[in-house]
């Protein structure tokens, strides 16, 4: 016999400010997950998953794809690129559903309308992780970043403006959206190793989509 222990618990708060400028919108896109995955897949056929090498020479455990603008890393660091250096073509456009989601999430989180120009897509297989880092390669830090979690859950680490600042652990689940802006925009953050598991729609991974203003 199974007992649903969670049946009587209240719904998680729909919107939660975990730090100034960092707004978690629990389950915000749960109903749109299939359409979002279709959009991800339409990008991935054009920009296949790849494991980047960090400027320090390590291979990332996370696989990446992107659209809008691309992402590059070499020994000089990271930068955004408008074109695929392999064939000189522009990266594929950001699908409409992702543009709409970014705008709606930023608006509802209190950041006003948002028109991103870059979308990075991360795929975490079990064991994949993202070590503590800052996102500081964008030109305009007044623009927020909208992030979407799909598939397997993960523990997000959220620190301060210094690498050594104490970190909070925040669980992120399928369908959650987080908007990172204001004083949180330059905070250190990372993802703990993703645990083995299976999600009926996404399979055995976690997908994270981030919508950004790179230029
Ligand atoms: C907090 N991605 O792509 S999303 C990244 O789940 C990245 O794949 C993680 O960190 C992931 O750079 C975390 C949440 C996130 C994204 C950007 C942020 C949190 C952030 C920028 C500033 C502060
Ligand atoms: Fe990041």
């Amino acid at each position: 016999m199974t007992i649903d222990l969670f049946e009587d618990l209240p719904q998680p708060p729909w919107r939660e400010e975990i730090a100034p400028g960092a707004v978690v919108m629990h389950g915000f896109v749960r109903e749109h997950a299939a359409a979002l995955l279709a959009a991800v897949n339409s990008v991935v056929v054009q920009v296949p998953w790849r494991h980047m090498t960090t400027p320090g020479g390590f291979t990332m455990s996370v696989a990446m794809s992107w659209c809008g603008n691309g992402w590059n890393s070499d020994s000089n660091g990271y930068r955004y690129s408008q074109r695929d250096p392999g064939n000189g073509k522009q990266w594929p456009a950001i699908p409409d559903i992702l543009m709409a989601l970014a705008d709606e999430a930023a608006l509802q989180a209190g950041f006003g309308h948002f028109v991103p120009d870059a979308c990075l897509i991360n795929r975490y297989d079990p064991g994949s992780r993202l070590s503590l880092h800052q996102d500081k390669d964008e030109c305009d830090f007044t623009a927020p970043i909208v992030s979407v979690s799909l598939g397997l859950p993960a523990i997000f680490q959220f620190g301060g403006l210094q690498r050594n600042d104490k970190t909070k652990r925040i669980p992120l689940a399928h369908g959650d959206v987080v908007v990172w802006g204001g004083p949180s925009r330059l905070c250190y953050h990372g993802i703990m190793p993703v645990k083995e598991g299976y999600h009926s729609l996404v399979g055995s991974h976690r997908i994270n989509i981030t919508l950004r203003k790179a230029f």
Side-chain angles (χ1 to χ4, degrees):
M1 185 176 90
T2 50
I3 302 168
D4 192 345
L5 295 170
F6 304 104
E7 209 168 51
D8 296 323
L9 289 181
Q11 283 286 107
W14 178 77
R15 204 167 79 169
E16 184 186 4
E17 190 164 31
I18 54 168
V23 182
V24 182
M25 298 152 96
H26 295 279
F28 188 65
V29 296
R30 213 174 284 154
E31 276 82 69
H32 303 284
L36 292 170
L37 276 176
V40 166
N41 290 333
S42 75
V43 171
V44 169
V45 294
Q46 301 174 77
V47 182
W49 296 118
R50 58 202 67 193
H51 291 270
M52 310 284 286
T53 305
T54 66
F58 295 95
T59 301
M60 290 175 67
S61 59
V62 176
M64 295 187 73
S65 176
W66 48 68
C67 53
N69 281 289
W71 182 238
N72 242 105
S73 95
D74 58 27
S75 53
N76 297 315
Y78 295 99
R79 79 182 78 240
Y80 286 96
S81 65
Q82 282 179 283
R83 289 166 189 283
D84 180 346
N87 61 17
K89 289 204 301 184
Q90 292 208 336
W91 298 107
I94 301 176
D96 288 346
I97 187 175
L98 296 178
M99 294 296 289
L101 151 69
D103 186 54
E104 186 64 25
L107 197 60
Q108 292 206 24
F111 293 98
H113 284 286
F114 180 42
V115 183
D117 62 12
C119 171
L120 304 185
I121 307 170
N122 295 334
R123 191 195 78 213
Y124 296 77
D125 300 327
S128 297
R129 60 191 290 271
L130 193 59
S131 53
L132 222 52
H133 68 279
Q134 288 173 298
D135 288 22
K136 52 174 195 242
D137 298 290
E138 299 75 25
C139 290
D140 177 9
F141 300 140
T142 67
I145 292 180
V146 173
S147 73
V148 184
S149 295
L150 296 171
L152 295 180
I155 309 275
F156 177 74
Q157 285 182 293
F158 186 50
L161 292 174
Q162 309 290 326
R163 182 179 289 280
N164 298 328
D165 289 347
K166 186 170 156 290
T167 59
K168 290 189 206 181
R169 293 170 169 220
I170 295 144
L172 290 179
H174 176 74
D176 290 350
V177 170
V178 193
V179 185
W180 312 90
S184 290
R185 177 62 184 76
L186 289 172
C187 287
Y188 275 89
H189 58 277
I191 294 282
M192 306 283 290
V194 169
K195 290 204 162 70
E196 206 73 58
Y198 181 79
H199 186 279
S200 56
L201 199 63
V202 182
S204 296
H205 13 256
R206 170 174 187 266
I207 303 281
N208 180 263
I209 307 166
T210 48
L211 293 138
R212 303 144 182 265
K213 196 163 149 35
F215 290 108

